[in-house]
Amino acid sequence: MLRQWIFVLAFITSAAAAYAQTERRLTVEQALDLALENSKALHASLMRVNHADARASETNANRLPSLRVTGAYTRLSNVPPFTVALPPQLGGNSFTLAPSLVNNYTLKASLEQPLFTGFKLDAAGSAAEQAARAAEQDLARDRADVLYQVRVAYWSFFKATEFKKVIDETVEQVKAHLRDVQSMMEQGMATTNDVLKVQVQLSDAQVRQIEANNNVQLAMIGLNNLIGIPLQTRIVIDSEVGRPSDTHDQNLDALIALALEQRPDVKAMEYRVKAADAGVRAARGGWWPQVFLAANYYYNRPNQRIQPVQDAFKDTWDITIGVSLDIWNWGKTLHQSDQAHAQLEEARDALSQLKDAITLEVTQSFLNLHQAKERIRVAEQGVQQAQENYRITHKRFREGLAQNSDLLDAEVALLQARTNYTQARVDFELAAAHLQKAIGQ
């Protein structure tokens, strides 16, 4: 029997230790750092940057000389050698002019260098560079999006936790009310209907308590998923919602100008406009002649350029300057230029639309922030008034000067006021985070 109790105690201790290990206190800054470290979306965005950089390097390499070495061995069928026989008056001897060589070895080194391509390679390299810079700005935009999502998830979890605290306190408050009414009924100072009303109120509060517990779990799991830690980890909020300050009283026009200047998506689109402009120059390069330099070095056995043919390695070389120009290609170059110009205009329109959308977003975020700031002030006053109303009503109720329904109304009003205050505080934090994201910080 003693062994069984020791086993149970050890099991409970180990389970409690395991539970404690899954608990983690977390500030909003720590949550942001974890998200940046563990985000798969950011890793994918970083790989797109690496891809764009590699593509730019590949495109720029086309402007540099290329060196290629090839080698081959060929086995030929045996054929009679080409011989010449002298007439008898010259001695009647014969000699071989072209022996039959069945083993052929070829070694070749080729060097190619574009000399002039109508600026196509320069423009293509510039377009690839601008695309790579745009990908870097996309990474910055994705980073800002992840940070904003984590802030939303963190403060939503904070809100769910605070709501749960309010509901828990309300449940205890209504339970105390119920005990008072039951005691008063025993003394003949309250009716059964009064008790039933409080019990209904308690049931409603307990239902809200169940919902609040579930909302806390869901919000915590969502936050854990965003910051890349095990979903079952129990998070303990270690940050407080900030208070409105003078730093939030900024000029709207200045904020819009700041957003248009430093938003990464604006910078990315500007780079894409430059890339599209380079694409136009690359397409127009088809109107120009293309000039290339080619040089080859041969080390062959036999080397066909050396006569008579010998079964030995001999080296030779050649240099070529080639020029090509499309005289007529059924308007292919013209159509390519039109396509590139259309893409340029599309990119410019997208940039203009983006700036309009950012102006609207910053304006809405600015107004929402100031609305949230004002709501905090009003909600705080509401809590103070509701608390005082509850205190007075509760005192009057215990003295028999207020009805049961009056106290029930005071409890509901206090619950609503405290809920509104928590909502206002979290809304302010989220509005500040959204404005920060909208201006590109």
Side-chain angles (χ1 to χ4, degrees):
M1 186 66 178
L2 180 60
R3 286 186 177 182
Q4 293 178 347
W5 279 108
I6 293 176
F7 176 78
V8 171
L9 181 60
F11 175 79
I12 294 175
T13 304
S14 61
Y19 179 78
Q21 289 175 355
T22 61
E23 181 176 300
R24 184 167 188 172
R25 301 189 68 87
L26 206 63
T27 65
V28 64
E29 290 78 13
Q30 291 171 338
L32 296 175
D33 291 339
L34 284 172
L36 294 179
E37 179 182 349
N38 300 327
S39 174
K40 295 181 177 62
L42 286 184
H43 182 265
S45 185
L46 177 61
M47 292 304 100
R48 286 191 289 270
V49 172
N50 293 343
H51 176 271
D53 285 337
R55 180 65 180 271
S57 299
E58 177 192 5
T59 304
N60 288 324
N62 292 330
R63 295 184 288 182
L64 303 175
S66 63
L67 179 63
R68 182 183 299 107
V69 177
T70 58
Y73 164 76
T74 304
R75 174 72 180 187
L76 304 176
S77 61
N78 197 8
V79 296
F82 179 65
T83 60
V84 176
L86 298 177
Q89 54 269 35
L90 295 180
N93 297 325
S94 61
F95 57 92
T96 300
L97 293 179
S100 176
L101 303 177
V102 295
N103 296 311
N104 283 257
Y105 304 90
T106 302
L107 292 176
K108 177 182 177 182
S110 301
L111 177 69
E112 295 182 359
Q113 170 64 55
L115 299 179
F116 180 73
T117 60
F119 312 106
K120 291 174 64 175
L121 293 180
D122 291 339
S126 176
E129 288 285 349
Q130 302 301 331
R133 302 293 75 77
E136 291 176 353
Q137 295 302 319
D138 288 342
L139 173 60
R141 178 204 61 200
D142 294 342
R143 182 179 184 276
D145 289 342
V146 168
L147 293 179
Y148 175 69
Q149 292 170 9
V150 172
R151 288 184 185 275
V152 171
Y154 186 90
W155 294 120
S156 296
F157 177 49
F158 174 88
K159 179 177 68 174
T161 304
E162 291 298 307
F163 279 0
K164 180 181 179 301
K165 291 179 181 178
V166 172
I167 295 298
D168 290 344
E169 292 176 5
T170 300
V171 168
E172 296 303 317
Q173 191 177 72
V174 177
K175 285 182 178 179
H177 183 186
L178 179 60
R179 288 194 296 269
D180 290 341
V181 173
Q182 289 173 338
S183 176
M184 294 174 68
M185 186 183 69
E186 292 174 357
Q187 300 173 14
M189 300 173 59
T191 65
T192 304
N193 189 46
D194 291 331
V195 174
L196 290 175
K197 287 182 179 180
V198 180
Q199 289 176 338
V200 170
Q201 181 105 335
L202 178 60
S203 298
D204 179 69
Q206 289 174 334
V207 168
R208 294 190 182 191
Q209 188 178 44
I210 295 172
E211 294 177 351
N213 289 332
N214 187 60
N215 290 337
V216 167
Q217 293 299 318
L218 292 176
M220 185 172 61
I221 291 174
L223 176 60
N224 291 344
N225 181 59
L226 273 178
I227 62 180
I229 64 176
L231 299 183
Q232 67 273 16
T233 304
R234 183 173 178 268
I235 298 297
V236 178
I237 292 292
D238 204 19
S239 291
E240 285 294 331
V241 175
R243 300 283 299 180
S245 63
D246 294 338
T247 58
H248 299 103
D249 296 329
Q250 304 179 53
N251 182 269
L252 176 59
D253 293 334
L255 291 176
I256 292 175
L258 185 63
L260 296 178
E261 177 184 353
Q262 64 183 18
R263 278 276 292 253
D265 44 357
V266 173
K267 294 180 180 179
M269 187 55 66
E270 288 174 345
Y271 282 126
R272 289 189 170 92
V273 170
K274 294 178 181 179
D277 183 64
V280 172
R281 289 186 280 114
R284 290 175 178 172
W287 299 107
W288 294 84
Q290 313 295 305
V291 183
F292 293 88
L293 170 68
N296 298 295
Y297 173 79
Y298 305 92
Y299 191 61
N300 299 340
R301 175 185 176 185
N303 193 319
Q304 301 298 332
R305 290 186 58 197
I306 297 177
Q307 299 295 329
V309 177
Q310 303 176 25
D311 188 15
F313 283 100
K314 299 293 182 180
D315 62 327
T316 56
W317 57 269
D318 62 61
I319 296 178
T320 302
I321 294 180
V323 180
S324 66
L325 176 64
D326 286 339
I327 302 300
W328 179 253
N329 57 10
W330 300 98
K332 179 180 178 180
T333 304
L334 176 63
H335 298 324
Q336 290 175 344
S337 299
D338 290 342
Q339 292 176 45
H341 184 73
Q343 289 178 337
L344 173 60
E345 292 301 317
E346 180 183 0
R348 287 173 175 170
D349 290 339
L351 176 59
S352 178
Q353 291 175 351
L354 177 60
K355 289 183 177 180
D356 291 341
I358 288 175
T359 300
L360 178 61
E361 181 183 0
V362 172
T363 301
Q364 291 175 336
S365 300
F366 178 82
L367 296 177
N368 289 338
L369 179 64
H370 282 266
Q371 180 190 38
K373 181 178 179 181
E374 185 64 19
R375 284 180 58 196
I376 288 180
R377 184 185 64 82
V378 175
E380 192 171 18
Q381 292 177 353
V383 170
Q384 295 172 357
Q385 294 166 354
Q387 287 176 337
E388 182 64 15
N389 177 58
Y390 173 77
R391 186 188 67 82
I392 295 174
T393 305
H394 184 261
K395 180 180 179 182
R396 288 170 56 85
F397 174 74
R398 302 196 72 171
E399 294 174 351
L401 300 177
Q403 296 182 1
N404 182 53
S405 59
D406 295 334
L407 185 56
L408 290 175
D409 292 340
E411 290 170 348
V412 172
L414 180 58
L415 172 62
Q416 187 63 51
R418 296 179 65 185
T419 302
N420 290 342
Y421 180 58
T422 301
Q423 182 70 55
R425 293 169 63 204
V426 174
D427 286 347
F428 174 80
E429 195 69 39
L430 295 180
H434 193 274
L435 180 60
Q436 187 178 20
K437 172 180 174 291
I439 62 178
Q441 293 183 346

